[in-house]
Amino acid sequence: MEKAIAAISTPNAIGGISVVRISGDQALTIADRVFKSISGKILGDMKGYTAAYGRVFDKDGDFDDAVALVFRAPKSYTGEDVVEVSCHGGIYVTRRLLRAMIDGGASPAAGGEFTKRAFLNGKLSLTQAESVMDIINSHSKQAARSAMAGFEGALFKKIQNINERLLNLSGHLAAWVDFPEEDIPVVEHDNLLNALGDCGTELNDLINGYDAGRLIHQGIVTAIVGKPNVGKSTLMNLLAGCEKSIVTEIAGTTRDVVEESVLLGDVVLRLADTAGIRDTEDMVERVGVSLAKKKMEQADLVLAVFDGSSPLSSEDQELIAEIKDKNVIAVVNKSDLENKLDIEYIQKRIKHIVIISAKNTNGLQELSDCIAGVLNLVHVDTTGAMLANERQRDCVQRAVSFVEESVLSIRQGFTLDAVTVSIELAIEDLLELTGERVTDAVVDEVFSHFCVGK
Ligand code: GDP
């Protein structure tokens, strides 16, 4: 077992209770230095999954009531001995409890270190560990469901299954090449090509589903564009007032750019820099086309807003010409007023069109349905295997290239040795994906994105 680490596992904020977690060798001994149960129970003598009520102490005396929950290795999150001490949820008390644990002999845990230990102790695959982070970061039902599927091992099992088939093929080929005199059935080219083709198709399906997965996990970067006065700000405010809105500060810019994530139906829209647009309404006019262009370039989705109560202008036509290659929805606003817009002109050029009144909040449901349709999110099976991040996508991409290379080698009549080499390289990449064979650098990189305490 490793040296004990400790961290506050609840948010750094005031709440009903806070939890300080300690894991590793000596976890029970150290926790016993800090926690004294009322009934005289010693944590080190307690069974796993049992709790004790008592007081917590440091060198200045006792400072709070607490409940200590004991987990015994290997039946804990990390696979090590773990104690979770719940105290009252004040920031001062919680930090003092953590300090007491550290004075008692624990080291402060690095970000993601508990989950990293769970991975190293075989409690989780790397893809499952990554799902833990996705579950924490989920802002919508779909994202949470899909992250949970990853945590339950949907992707891991899928990759393992493909890998086993590849291993079978390479083992068979290697045996046949190495021991030609043995009675090993001849590898039929057609069977081999079919088996490799199936693996390639399944891997490619994962890659094709990646964009939808990314949008579900990370939200849809959305640009709202249109000439002045069509109702962009009104629509933005309407969206921002949706059920849940989360504001993320992105540091490192000249002024903090505010990105607002809003939940519309079952999708998360990321409306970048909405504050800027809302603060200075005429900024849109001033920066006009150039700002809109930049926003559109980076966007997964463009909402092009038109004023239904006035005729189509040359500005509108320019905008239509510019956005036709994007994932775009024409949003014809002000449906509460008499229509004067040439909707047919737009319809001919932009496939998806929704008529709303941002003022009366009419048409919001249609807009939400349309977004899911445009981005192909409707038929996404969030309970199935899905790639959750760039690292995973990259591993699969490399594996596919090697599988395709092996197919090509067969077609071009290369020796079966060459085919075996390609298959084995594909296997390597898939083992890296699941974390079964992975470098420390990759593991460190994955866990560096975790928060402390997880
Ligand atoms: P922006 O310049 O595109 O951001 O447009 P604004 O959101 O500032 O809206 C311009 C004007 O149109 C404001 O006076 C809004 O109140 C009005 N407006 C916006 N949406 C609607 C709508 O659905 N119906 C009506 N009647 N007026 C609207």
Side-chain angles (χ1 to χ4, degrees), residues 127-140 143-148 150-151 217-218 386-389 392 450:
T127 49
Q128 285 173 310
E130 287 173 308
S131 313
V132 170
M133 192 165 54
D134 290 334
I135 292 171
I136 296 173
N137 291 332
S138 297
H139 295 320
S140 73
R145 200 190 297 129
S146 147
M148 189 45 90
F151 181 66
H217 280 286
Q218 298 169 13
M386 210 185 259
L387 299 174
N389 55 43
Q392 298 178 355
F450 276 62

Side-chain angles (χ1 to χ4, degrees), residues 289-347:
V289 182
S290 73
L291 175 74
K293 264 190 189 160
K294 191 155 161 273
K295 280 162 68 77
M296 280 194 290
E297 272 163 27
Q298 299 159 346
D300 300 311
L301 173 72
V302 176
L303 298 181
V305 186
F306 300 91
D307 182 347
S309 69
S310 61
L312 201 73
S313 68
S314 58
E315 272 177 287
D316 290 327
Q317 288 172 333
E318 275 168 37
L319 178 67
I320 292 171
E322 206 161 306
I323 53 182
K324 60 180 190 323
D325 299 329
K326 303 282 301 180
N327 276 325
V328 48
I329 297 175
V331 179
V332 176
N333 189 31
K334 310 196 187 181
S335 66
D336 52 300
L337 302 176
E338 191 198 336
N339 180 64
K340 296 202 179 113
L341 189 70
D342 184 354
I343 293 183
E344 212 172 296
Y345 180 93
I346 301 176
Q347 237 156 5

Side-chain angles (χ1 to χ4, degrees), residues 228-234 281 333-334 336-337 357-359:
N229 280 322
V230 291
K232 295 182 296 297
S233 311
T234 312
E281 249 178 39
N333 189 31
K334 310 196 187 181
D336 52 300
L337 302 176
S357 166
K359 203 173 187 173

Side-chain angles (χ1 to χ4, degrees), residues 48-194:
Y49 306 139
T50 58
Y53 168 66
R55 302 277 300 164
V56 280
F57 291 75
D58 61 12
K59 58 184 180 334
D60 297 324
D62 60 338
F63 56 91
D64 197 10
D65 275 4
V67 171
L69 191 55
V70 173
F71 300 85
R72 291 282 188 170
K75 293 185 174 174
S76 71
Y77 181 69
T78 56
E80 305 172 331
D81 284 345
V82 169
V83 182
E84 286 181 5
V85 182
S86 307
C87 62
H88 285 114
I91 291 173
Y92 166 77
V93 170
T94 316
R95 288 195 182 155
R96 190 167 166 187
L97 177 56
L98 175 62
R99 170 59 50 197
M101 294 282 198
I102 291 167
D103 290 344
S107 302
E113 203 172 355
F114 291 102
T115 310
K116 184 175 176 180
R117 287 187 176 195
F119 164 68
L120 294 173
N121 290 326
K123 303 288 288 188
L124 296 171
S125 71
L126 201 57
T127 49
Q128 285 173 310
E130 287 173 308
S131 313
V132 170
M133 192 165 54
D134 290 334
I135 292 171
I136 296 173
N137 291 332
S138 297
H139 295 320
S140 73
K141 193 164 81 184
Q142 264 190 319
R145 200 190 297 129
S146 147
M148 189 45 90
F151 181 66
E152 285 164 355
L155 178 64
F156 178 71
K157 283 178 204 148
K158 169 112 193 160
I159 295 294
Q160 241 187 0
N161 174 284
I162 297 175
N163 226 357
E164 270 162 24
R165 283 146 56 197
L166 291 175
L167 269 168
N168 250 329
L169 290 174
S170 80
H172 196 97
L173 282 176
W176 195 66
V177 170
D178 292 346
F179 309 103
E181 68 282 2
E182 303 272 325
D183 202 13
I184 297 162
V186 177
V187 184
E188 295 283 348
H189 274 199
D190 283 352
N191 289 350
L192 189 57
L193 281 172
N194 284 343

Side-chain angles (χ1 to χ4, degrees), residues 250 252-258 273 275-276 279 283:
I250 304 167
T253 42
T254 43
R255 75 184 167 87
D256 279 349
V257 175
V258 176
D273 209 4
D279 288 348
M283 188 180 93

